[in-house]
Amino acid sequence: MNTQADLNYYYDGSFDGLLCCVFESYDKREIPIDILVDAAAPQLFSGRPVPTDPAKAARVLASIPQKLGPAALDFVKHAFLTCLPRKELHILLFLRLGYRHGPRVMDMLADEVVNTLFKAVNHLNRESHLLKGFLRFSVCNGALVGEIAPKNFVLPLLTRHFCERYPEERFLIVDKTHGMGLLYQPYQASVLPVADLELPAADEDEQIFRELWRLYYDTIAIKERYNPRCRMSHMPKRYWRYMTEFGAPRDIPHLRLASVGGKLLIPAAEAEN
Amino acid sequence: MDVFDKLKILTDAAKYDVACTSSGVDKTAAAGGIGSAAACGICHTFSADGRCISLLKVLLTNVCVYDCRYCVNRRSNDTPRAAFSPRELAELTINFYRRNYIEGLFLSSGVLKSPDHTCEQMIEALRILREEYRFSGYIHAKAIPGADNALVTRLGTLADRMSVNIELPSQSSLRLLAPDKTKQAIFAPMGHIQKSIQENARDIVKYRHAPKFAPAGQSTQMIIGATPDTDYQILNLTEGLYKKYKLKRVFFSAYTPVADDSLLPAPDTKPQLWREHRLYQADWLLRYYDFTAGELLDRQHQSFNPYLDPKCTWALNNLHFFPVDVNRAVYRDLLRVPGIGVVSAKRILATRRTRALRFEGLKALGVVLKRAQFFITCSGKAADGVKITENNMLRSLLSEKALEQYRHNLSLEQLALFGQPPILPNPGRAYEHEYPGGLKLLL
Ligand code: SF4
């Protein structure tokens, strides 16, 4: 089987859509040079749109745990959330390798594709782990609102954590990078597209607790041990922007959700590990 | 005095306690409540000194009837005093928690009036959190030495983790610097807590709903550098504590001068951060690498090498143990190789099941070849072009920084003799967070 030097697949950006590309690749006995989201790229090469067909997607989905084991399915779902360039193609190549070698593909770290995907998934997991801590909420009309700007699409991985932490609260986490939000009210969570921010001022209570937190943050450091390099390596600067102890947020974001009928990339509950 | 003043004073007084982890227990919010905990622990931010902040770490009060000389809160110190009311503290905790500033509370206290009275106040704060707010987040409570066992037990059923700080690693230091405390006063509550944890484990098997006692276990802290106690003494004590009291963690805190006292290091003494760092590395080797204290230090070598981490030092002193073959060695032996850590050792075991490993593939598994190459073979073969000389090994095992500092001081040949090298002026990194990334520091 050869890579088709000039063939791109186009899909709708959903996980099911990608599974259909896997189906297509086997059906036509070919490997595209890339898999792109709908008309997102210039048409330099010949491209083939691969329509999303739930029946085909379901067949591929069922085959993964069967042939590669449940861990591989979980892994692929995570890989789909990463910011790895050309993640779709990597996932296709990983699955092809897996259909050939079975569950042992998960141990083939010396393989270039497997290794790249593992690194990307580690990056995703690390970022979502850090954000469980670094995310800051403001209390706004009794609800909790927070903003993040992650590189990877971490919202599906944060869902369970924050739902278990605040089962009785209403909260919204906005992912500014991907224009999506995690909305929760007892006892239901959904990941939705979020448009438009308006910012009313924080009320007095909110201001007080932000100030108390800043005071705590500044006081707890031991000045004889000052070590900004160490702080930076544990908490890279790109996270600081949305953290209360560094002055943010100045105001509470007020959000309007895009129509609930909007397309969901992955249902929140499904991508949970 | 408003809550801002109190928070400032009582944080300032608590900051020298290093433990801030929220690890060791997994749970989700109770019905109608708030709060969860993750066994791996979660850092919510890092302070300017690079330390993980996971918990709201404060004292209930910094008033103290005792006069421990190394402590900012000692009776004789002229410092502003404050006290939270239990309710005030509970509300502050919940408000920080809702905003995702923290994983929970680390509550300690000076001794106000009496150990029993202090303990009762702490219990009340935790009771409000657990019962009124139905808070399931992480709580670490420090037992007050001298408090009644029944009160310690009550505290333990409200907390996730308990600790009793040893502070001074030997009885002679204790006698000198903490005249009001005895070894007995420290180890008695530690023993009581351990017994309660054990009994509780049995109860939970018998009655599923028995209240849990400190499910995240018990920890302690020792101060490094306030007294002449050596690394050897401290590490042996640490090992003993893990064995005898089944502690989850022993923390080390480099002493920061807080008093001008002839019995203590002068006020301009820098905290011995590099020693603290070496102790954490050695502690890690005890807990995860199956090393014993006696393998790392002995009567003749009572101090860690400032330039080389304890694992590398061990490797250089035990060259007869090597080479280790990555395709055949058992897990425990792989872990002894400089440049191979817990993660890469596990990957080696998994990967070599599918095919024999070669040197080229090792880097992808996370092995630091620059270090490991001297100590391993792949199916009997050594790495190409590796010259195993003491000099080359040293060069590869020293960190860039240590190498740099070393050039200033003495030659590599001298280092090879492992005499008593001069003390490093520059600190290593403080780390006490427990997420797996921390492992890398050991490689
Ligand atoms: S009993 Fe505790 S708070 Fe009081 S002086 Fe001694 S160490 Fe400090």
Side-chain angles (χ1 to χ4, degrees):
Chain A
M1 179 105 25
N2 283 322
T3 301
Q4 301 273 315
D6 54 352
L7 177 65
N8 282 313
Y9 283 176
Y10 290 97
Y11 79 119
D12 65 0
S14 70
F15 190 61
D16 275 1
L18 178 59
L19 294 180
C20 290
C21 294
V22 176
F23 190 96
E24 182 82 1
S25 158
Y26 272 92
D27 193 43
K28 301 274 162 46
R29 300 168 163 277
E30 66 193 9
I31 299 172
I33 51 161
D34 207 354
I35 303 176
L36 304 163
V37 178
D38 280 340
Q43 313 264 336
L44 281 179
F45 305 98
S46 70
R48 182 185 312 145
V50 179
T52 301
D53 173 348
K56 286 182 186 167
R59 274 177 63 188
V60 178
L61 188 69
S63 72
I64 299 173
Q66 258 172 33
K67 300 267 173 52
L68 286 71
L73 176 58
D74 198 54
F75 177 68
V76 167
K77 281 183 179 171
H78 279 74
F80 187 65
L81 303 175
T82 64
C83 60
L84 176 71
R86 310 178 81 201
K87 66 181 177 201
E88 294 90 347
L89 186 70
H90 279 90
I91 291 172
L92 171 67
L93 296 175
F94 172 83
L95 288 173
R96 295 195 69 108
L97 205 61
Y99 287 122
R100 195 147 22 104
H101 293 281
R104 121 188 132 75
V105 69
M106 294 294 284
D107 293 329
M108 292 170 60
L109 282 170
D111 181 276
E112 180 75 38
V113 169
V114 183
N115 201 271
T116 308
L117 265 190
F118 259 91
K119 282 204 189 114
V121 169
N122 281 344
H123 180 233
L124 164 80
N125 286 337
R126 183 168 159 76
E127 187 174 43
S128 83
H129 178 77
L130 289 179
L131 281 170
K132 285 176 188 171
F134 297 164
L135 182 138
R136 296 287 174 264
F137 282 118
S138 297
V139 177
C140 182
N141 297 329
L144 310 176
V145 184
E147 289 181 308
I148 52 176
K151 289 184 179 161
N152 299 283
F153 188 52
V154 295
L155 280 185
L157 300 184
L158 296 180
T159 307
R160 194 167 101 196
H161 172 77
F162 284 105
C163 294
E164 286 177 351
R165 186 176 165 104
Y166 304 117
E168 305 299 328
E169 305 269 4
R170 289 177 299 129
F171 66 80
L172 173 65
I173 300 170
V174 178
D175 174 343
K176 311 264 284 186
T177 316
H178 301 87
M180 300 290 281
L182 167 60
L183 180 69
Y184 174 85
Q185 47 201 352
Y187 302 95
Q188 207 178 7
S190 39
V191 175
L192 312 163
V194 167
D196 255 15
L197 306 177
E198 278 170 42
L199 311 166
D203 65 20
E204 195 186 337
D205 248 26
E206 177 59 29
Q207 295 288 6
I208 287 176
F209 285 109
R210 286 183 193 173
E211 283 310 321
L212 281 168
W213 174 244
R214 287 178 195 134
L215 175 71
Y216 177 72
Y217 180 80
D218 292 337
T219 311
I220 198 80
I222 299 176
K223 71 174 191 308
E224 290 86 347
R225 304 177 63 128
Y226 183 63
N227 191 347
R229 271 223 342 254
C230 179
R231 168 169 66 179
M232 196 83 87
S233 74
H234 288 302
M235 186 172 62
K237 244 203 168 126
R238 70 183 175 96
Y239 292 104
W240 296 21
R241 184 152 169 230
Y242 296 102
M243 294 172 78
T244 314
E245 51 272 39
F246 301 110
R250 292 278 167 227
D251 293 292
I252 305 174
H254 174 78
L255 301 131
R256 269 184 277 139
L257 296 180
S259 63
V260 179
K263 191 169 60 186
L264 302 190
L265 289 176
I266 273 200
E270 211 180 280
E272 276 298 317
N273 47 357
Chain B
M1 186 178 286
D2 71 5
V3 66
F4 281 88
D5 296 322
K6 289 186 185 178
L7 181 64
K8 186 159 174 43
I9 292 169
L10 295 169
T11 301
D12 210 32
K15 69 184 177 194
Y16 298 103
D17 217 304
V18 292
C20 193
T21 59
S22 56
S23 57
V25 60
D26 245 329
K27 54 184 176 165
T28 58
I34 178 171
S36 57
C40 59
I42 294 178
C43 289
H44 280 257
T45 186
F46 288 83
S47 50
D49 51 24
R51 299 190 303 163
C52 159
I53 300 178
S54 182
L55 305 172
L56 170 61
K57 181 167 58 181
V58 288
L59 301 188
L60 192 69
T61 176
N62 65 337
V63 175
C64 194
V65 297
Y66 291 136
D67 205 28
C68 309
R69 308 184 72 146
Y70 53 83
C71 175
V72 269
N73 305 317
R74 66 192 180 281
R75 189 180 57 221
S76 60
N77 195 22
D78 180 20
T79 184
R81 307 282 172 170
F84 281 123
S85 75
R87 188 161 299 277
E88 213 168 26
L89 183 65
E91 276 168 17
L92 189 62
T93 307
I94 284 292
N95 271 292
F96 277 12
Y97 192 85
R98 276 188 91 199
R99 289 168 175 78
N100 207 41
Y101 298 163
I102 52 170
E103 272 311 273
L105 176 66
F106 178 178
L107 185 57
S108 172
S109 185
V111 180
L112 176 66
K113 291 191 196 142
S114 71
D116 281 357
H117 174 80
T118 311
C119 203
E120 279 162 4
Q121 293 279 301
M122 291 171 72
I123 288 169
E124 178 58 8
L126 302 197
R127 187 200 64 76
I128 295 171
L129 277 170
R130 292 293 197 217
E131 289 174 9
E132 295 184 23
Y133 287 102
R134 304 184 61 77
F135 175 68
S136 301
Y138 198 88
I139 295 178
H140 179 161
K142 193 110 81 73
I144 304 297
D148 191 84
N149 272 354
L151 292 173
V152 175
T153 304
R154 172 82 178 127
L155 201 59
T157 54
L158 293 164
D160 294 289
R161 171 167 284 181
M162 296 279 295
S163 63
V164 184
N165 281 3
I166 293 178
E167 304 292 17
L168 301 176
S170 68
Q171 195 160 10
S172 53
S173 303
L174 208 58
R175 210 175 298 125
L176 196 65
L177 296 175
D180 310 315
K181 286 184 186 164
T182 59
K183 196 170 140 209
Q184 166 62 11
I186 293 165
F187 287 104
M190 204 179 260
H192 175 70
I193 291 168
Q194 197 228 335
K195 215 173 96 228
S196 305
I197 292 174
Q198 267 177 350
E199 285 172 2
N200 187 238
R202 278 199 297 274
D203 287 352
I204 283 174
V205 175
K206 263 196 279 177
Y207 329 98
R208 220 156 41 82
H209 297 292
K212 289 206 172 120
F213 185 95
Q218 165 168 217
S219 66
T220 192
Q221 164 176 301
M222 286 184 250
I223 299 175
I224 309 306
T227 54
D229 305 297
T230 64
D231 297 336
Y232 170 72
Q233 288 170 307
I234 295 168
L235 195 66
N236 269 303
L237 178 56
T238 302
E239 185 176 64
L241 289 167
Y242 284 130
K243 284 202 186 120
K244 178 145 188 235
Y245 295 99
K246 303 278 174 290
L247 295 192
K248 279 285 185 312
R249 285 296 302 267
V250 175
F251 292 97
F252 309 100
S253 171
Y255 175 69
T256 310
V258 292
D260 194 356
D261 185 319
S262 60
L263 294 175
L264 286 164
D268 58 356
T269 312
K270 292 264 179 297
Q272 296 181 350
L273 296 177
W274 74 270
R275 263 187 87 193
E276 180 192 284
H277 181 60
R278 289 282 178 256
L279 279 162
Y280 275 119
Q281 290 180 315
D283 171 76
W284 206 276
L285 294 178
L286 298 186
R287 291 188 299 138
Y288 298 110
Y289 284 68
D290 204 19
F291 275 87
T292 60
E295 286 178 300
L296 300 173
L297 294 170
D298 55 40
R299 238 172 244 296
Q300 281 71 47
H301 307 89
Q302 301 224 357
S303 301
F304 287 116
N305 188 310
Y307 298 94
L308 277 175
D309 71 49
K311 186 174 158 184
C312 290
T313 311
W314 180 87
L316 288 177
N317 288 331
N318 292 274
L319 289 175
H320 58 86
F321 183 84
F322 299 102
V324 161
D325 195 278
V326 288
N327 281 310
R328 286 192 282 263
V330 296
Y331 178 68
R332 183 175 181 275
D333 291 353
L334 286 173
L335 282 183
R336 303 238 151 185
V337 176
I340 295 182
V342 167
V343 174
S344 45
K346 286 191 176 144
R347 285 192 187 149
I348 287 173
L349 294 187
T351 311
R352 77 186 184 190
R353 265 187 269 132
T354 66
R355 62 173 164 215
L357 293 166
R358 298 191 308 164
F359 278 96
E360 303 79 71
L362 289 177
K363 212 173 141 224
L365 303 182
V367 175
V368 183
L369 266 184
K370 181 183 158 232
R371 295 178 159 212
Q373 58 181 352
F374 300 103
F375 303 96
I376 54 175
T377 52
C378 281
S379 307
K381 279 212 304 284
D384 283 343
V386 171
K387 279 218 208 76
I388 302 183
T389 69
E390 213 154 294
N391 228 323
N392 286 350
M393 274 195 240
L394 270 175
R395 244 177 248 283
S396 74
L397 293 181
L398 287 169
S399 69
E400 293 292 322
K401 207 163 98 187
L403 205 55
E404 185 61 25
Q405 273 152 357
Y406 214 82
R407 291 209 182 92
H408 284 284
N409 293 320
L410 46 156
S411 69
L412 283 168
E413 286 69 27
Q414 283 169 285
L415 174 63
L417 301 171
F418 297 136
Q420 269 306 315
I423 281 167
L424 273 195
N426 224 329
R429 296 160 74 169
Y431 65 96
E432 62 203 52
H433 58 285
E434 288 192 327
Y435 66 83
L439 285 175
K440 276 206 221 88
L441 298 174
L442 260 190
L443 290 178

